[in-house]
Amino acid sequence: MCGIVGYIGKRKAYPILIKGLHRLEYRGYDSAGVALINEAGQLNVYKAKGKVAELEAFCAEKDTCGNIGIAHTRWATHGEPNTVNAHPHYSESERLAIIHNGIIENYAVLKAGLMEQGYTFKSDTDTEVLVQLIEYTQVNRHVDLKTAVQLALQQVIGAYAISILDKTHPDTLIAARKGSPLVVGIGEDEYFLASDATPIVEYTDKVIYIEDEEVVVIHPVTDNPSPVTVTTIGNVQKTPEIKRLELSLSQLEKGGYPHFMLKEIFEQPRTLTDSMRGRVNVRQDNIALSGFIDNKDRFLNAKRIIITACGTSWHAGLIAMYAIEEFAQIPVEVEYSSEFRYRKPVINKDDVVIAISQSGETADTLAAIQLAKEKGAFIFSICNVVGASIPRVSDSGCYTHVGPEIGVASTKAFTAQVTALTMLALCIGREKGTINEEQYLRIVRELGQIPSKIERVLGQDKLIGDFAKIFSYAQNFIYLGRGYNFPVALEGALKLKEISYIHAEGYPAAEMKHGPIALISQEMPVVVVAPHCGTYEKIVSNIQEIKARKGRVIAVVTEGDELVSKIADYCIEVPATEECLTPLLTVIPLQLLAYHIAVVKGCDVDQPRNLAKSVTVE
Ligand code: AGP
């Protein structure tokens, strides 16, 4: 997820663009850039690696004149975070400059076609392909820039919010979107573009929300009665509707949610869609993970897979153990990185080590990788930050592409990690022939349904908030699950602990009779993750054992459940799905329960005490 800003109007563009980038830094901050057309008609592009402050320092002595410009703060998806890959990107003639938020899935095909026409590329990005395609289209089809943008975008598969400058038309700002947000601000003789309203709200409350596959042209010249025009990429004229902003700046940064954590919980249908984009192809009944495709033999010849991670990422790894052993039939060990790095483990050259880390900077996981590399193991990392330390020292990997996760309590990164690991298990199993084709196809198709099924679970947010009010008194919780949902119980307990400061433990449900059942009392709520799956009848018995001892049970069940719903005190329903995919649905109520209890208790949800978003020290 990146941030884009544009300006054209009566004032100098640069200060407005830089301030706008600062407002959007929560969307991504591994590099930034700005493009300006000055009074002499020069198109100046300045870019810097790192946060927006680095760009400001770089531009301090530069020509930043001009009343039209575009700017970008990057969250890398294609290509390392560096100045070459930073946006804006010039076209080959350096007449155009573009910024882009999104992922162009078919960029490789488009790039190959342009290279055949003699085009060359400086960066590894999909964005540079787009600006070259627009220039190629304009030159070869002899059309104006707006038409070239429309025609080029008709060839694009994927998501985009773009803005483009043409130094030969310094009075025109063009933008378009599909799948990534784009807002136009209407000021007094000045116009703004941005990924959301946060860079706009201090200048005007009049905005136009651009819809998918729409192109907006801002051309505020004196004799133009319609300075802002909107068409589809098929050039169908649209009537833009001007709306009034009602949210404050702080509310806007959180997307209107009170906390980043709640915003990120509710983002999960979109972020999982982004995470699967270009990888899960339901139409072709196929999963394509480049990190696996390029290293098939390492996985097919692996005698063992070691998963190393910390915290929530470790819980994702535990779920992966069930999936990899079920579908790929490779023995899996899941290690806490902090233990693995010191216990002198036996590591063999034909081992595959999967390192999972949202931040890509967790010190213990980094050290565990170093240890495994020294022993000759193959390192595959699952990470959310392109170019972070862990992916840089890994042999290969898979990015989760969920955008910056600001809340310290990991939510959207967790479901993306589980999705990536499930895709990996399915790819290995299909290649080895250890998963039957019918089951493979069923799961692939069901993966495509998960985002909409998560939407349905999120629809119970109010019910879960009511439960939170009932149980926020508790000093202790127990979370129980079996099979794929045992790690979900651990994750639910961690969510509650880290943001509400209530003690909570996760257990395999069958373990209760080996000691913990002695704890059961009315004062200690028991959360049981009990979707319809292979061990459903067993977990019903576990719930009955708890109820027999006057325990109070909150159960997460499959829609239409008729057994647990009769014995548990409170039920939260999730849609039916494949057993291996149930964690993607059953974790959502636990994220919301922890969030609402923490809010009822007045805790600092986004920045809980004693915690950091990335534990870069031992
Ligand atoms: C999860 O909610 C916590 N913030 C924490 O356990 C986190 O998962 C752990 O520190 C690992 O971080 P990483 O995924 O960035 O490596």
Side-chain angles (χ1 to χ4, degrees):
M1 180 164 74
C2 306
I4 69 172
V5 191
Y7 177 83
I8 182 169
K10 60 193 177 188
R11 287 188 273 183
K12 188 176 176 197
Y14 177 73
I16 293 170
L17 294 170
I18 289 295
K19 198 171 186 182
L21 288 186
H22 279 299
R23 297 266 187 254
L24 293 177
E25 267 188 311
Y26 73 88
R27 300 177 63 86
Y29 40 73
D30 60 42
S31 54
V34 62
L36 300 153
I37 302 175
N38 66 17
E39 286 72 19
Q42 288 163 335
L43 175 57
N44 294 312
V45 173
Y46 307 120
K47 308 195 274 191
K49 185 178 177 189
K51 294 202 167 193
V52 174
E54 302 298 324
L55 175 66
E56 275 184 286
F58 180 75
C59 291
E61 304 305 316
K62 298 289 192 297
D63 170 5
T64 56
C65 297
N67 69 343
I68 178 172
I70 54 178
H72 183 276
T73 180
R74 187 167 182 242
W75 183 265
T77 53
H78 291 79
E80 295 296 308
N82 56 33
T83 49
V84 171
N85 290 329
H87 304 205
H89 288 282
Y90 276 120
S91 61
E92 190 152 63
S93 67
E94 299 201 350
R95 174 171 59 85
L96 306 177
I98 195 171
I99 54 176
H100 167 225
N101 171 30
I103 294 177
I104 295 174
E105 291 172 32
N106 61 330
Y107 81 98
V109 171
L110 297 172
K111 185 170 185 174
L114 290 163
M115 289 174 82
E116 281 170 13
Q117 301 299 327
Y119 277 78
T120 58
F121 295 84
K122 298 182 179 64
S123 78
D124 307 322
T125 66
D126 54 345
T127 306
E128 189 183 11
V129 173
L130 182 54
V131 71
Q132 302 288 43
L133 179 62
I134 292 169
E135 178 160 273
Y136 170 78
T137 305
Q138 193 175 6
V139 167
N140 288 276
R141 302 281 290 269
H142 309 293
V143 295
D144 65 13
L145 183 59
K146 181 190 84 170
T147 308
V149 168
Q150 291 169 331
L151 295 172
L153 292 178
Q154 289 171 22
Q155 300 175 59
V156 161
I157 298 171
Y160 54 81
I162 63 167
S163 186
I164 189 165
L165 292 182
D166 178 342
K167 71 178 181 182
T168 60
H169 290 77
D171 51 10
T172 305
L173 189 57
I174 295 181
R177 70 150 285 186
K178 180 186 174 190
S180 297
L182 184 64
V183 185
V184 174
I186 314 290
E188 291 299 321
D189 300 327
E190 58 184 3
Y191 300 85
F192 308 82
L193 280 175
S195 300
D196 63 37
T198 49
I200 296 172
V201 66
E202 66 184 281
Y203 305 107
T204 176
D205 65 353
K206 292 197 293 183
V207 293
I208 298 170
Y209 291 98
I210 302 301
E211 302 296 336
D212 275 355
E213 296 196 346
E214 288 186 348
V215 179
V216 55
V217 177
I218 304 175
H219 181 56
V221 293
T222 44
D223 57 355
N224 182 356
S226 308
V228 179
T229 55
V230 177
T231 65
T232 65
I233 59 172
N235 204 30
V236 173
Q237 206 65 34
K238 306 284 282 188
T239 307
E241 183 190 352
I242 296 179
K243 295 186 174 174
R244 293 280 179 178
L245 279 175
E246 282 143 19
L247 294 175
S248 69
L249 176 60
S250 166
Q251 287 170 319
L252 284 165
E253 282 169 337
K254 300 183 181 83
Y257 292 98
H259 299 99
F260 278 111
M261 182 181 175
L262 190 61
K263 173 175 177 257
E264 288 156 4
I265 290 171
F266 274 79
E267 275 182 336
Q268 290 176 107
R270 180 181 60 75
T271 52
L272 277 194
T273 302
D274 289 347
S275 208
M276 291 190 276
R277 180 173 283 122
R279 293 166 168 169
V280 175
N281 188 325
V282 177
R283 286 189 302 278
Q284 293 169 7
D285 284 335
N286 188 45
I287 294 175
L289 272 185
S290 55
F292 166 74
I293 293 166
D294 300 342
N295 303 282
K296 267 183 201 172
D297 291 346
R298 292 306 300 244
F299 286 99
L300 301 182
N301 301 327
K303 299 283 187 303
R304 174 179 62 160
I305 289 179
I306 300 169
I307 296 178
T308 184
C310 301
T312 286
S313 299
W314 185 84
H315 296 150
L318 218 46
I319 292 171
M321 175 184 74
Y322 287 83
I324 294 170
E325 293 203 347
E326 177 180 359
F327 302 131
Q329 292 173 18
I330 299 174
V332 177
E333 291 170 23
V334 186
E335 299 274 358
Y336 282 114
S337 300
S338 55
E339 287 299 307
F340 185 65
R341 64 179 290 196
Y342 288 118
R343 67 171 181 78
K344 299 179 179 49
V346 174
I347 303 169
N348 307 310
K349 284 188 174 31
D350 57 4
D351 284 342
V352 167
V353 172
I354 298 177
I356 308 170
S357 176
Q358 186 287 131
S359 63
E361 300 299 343
T362 298
D364 284 324
T365 304
L366 206 48
I369 291 170
Q370 301 295 14
L371 172 68
K373 276 176 80 89
E374 286 157 15
K375 307 268 186 172
F378 176 75
I379 312 296
F380 187 89
S381 59
I382 308 275
C383 185
N384 189 41
V385 182
V386 175
S389 302
I390 285 174
R392 281 209 310 273
V393 299
S394 301
D395 297 304
S396 181
C398 166
Y399 285 116
T400 46
H401 290 323
V402 296
E405 187 176 64
I406 310 296
V408 164
S410 186
T411 51
K412 63 178 182 175
F414 172 73
T415 47
Q417 289 166 347
V418 171
T419 302
L421 289 156
T422 303
M423 290 192 283
L424 179 62
L426 292 168
C427 287
I428 302 169
R430 194 185 207 193
E431 201 65 34
K432 288 184 67 179
T434 47
I435 181 173
N436 73 56
E437 192 64 3
E438 186 273 330
Q439 185 182 20
Y440 172 85
L441 295 179
R442 232 185 32 245
I443 297 171
V444 170
R445 288 170 193 153
E446 185 61 17
L447 264 173
Q449 299 301 313
I450 289 296
S452 59
K453 291 190 172 183
I454 290 178
E455 287 287 8
R456 283 161 54 185
V457 184
L458 292 169
Q460 299 181 80
D461 180 45
K462 182 173 179 335
L463 173 72
I464 296 165
D466 294 342
F467 292 169
K469 293 186 183 99
I470 296 168
F471 290 103
S472 57
Y473 73 86
Q475 299 299 306
N476 298 284
F477 271 75
I478 276 197
Y479 285 70
L480 304 177
R482 296 181 80 121
Y484 281 93
N485 285 284
F486 159 49
V488 176
L490 296 175
E491 174 57 11
L494 176 61
K495 288 282 101 41
L496 186 71
K497 273 183 276 199
E498 65 177 323
I499 63 172
S500 75
Y501 318 142
I502 293 173
H503 172 251
E505 286 192 73
Y507 267 100
E511 268 301 296
M512 285 302 284
K513 60 176 119 8
H514 300 282
I517 202 161
L519 290 170
I520 294 302
S521 74
Q522 285 213 327
E523 285 66 53
M524 183 180 67
V526 180
V527 179
V528 187
V529 188
H532 286 161
C533 61
T535 54
Y536 174 73
E537 282 70 27
K538 304 288 183 192
I539 208 158
V540 171
S541 306
N542 298 144
I543 295 173
Q544 285 163 334
E545 290 155 11
I546 293 160
K547 290 303 296 170
R549 292 158 178 82
K550 305 213 181 322
R552 298 174 76 193
V553 174
I554 304 168
V556 179
V557 298
T558 300
E559 283 170 354
D561 181 287
E562 294 181 351
L563 251 178
V564 173
S565 49
K566 290 189 173 60
I567 49 178
D569 299 274
Y570 303 89
C571 276
I572 302 158
E573 292 193 336
V574 300
T577 188
E578 292 290 328
E579 179 164 355
C580 67
L581 302 180
T582 53
L584 295 170
L585 302 181
T586 56
V587 76
I588 306 296
L590 308 191
Q591 294 171 345
L592 289 171
L593 183 64
Y595 169 79
H596 286 297
I597 288 177
V599 168
V600 168
K601 293 192 65 181
C603 297
D604 183 346
V605 171
D606 284 332
Q607 294 174 333
R609 69 187 182 199
N610 311 335
L611 291 177
K613 184 57 187 170
S614 174
V615 182
T616 56
V617 294
E618 284 196 35

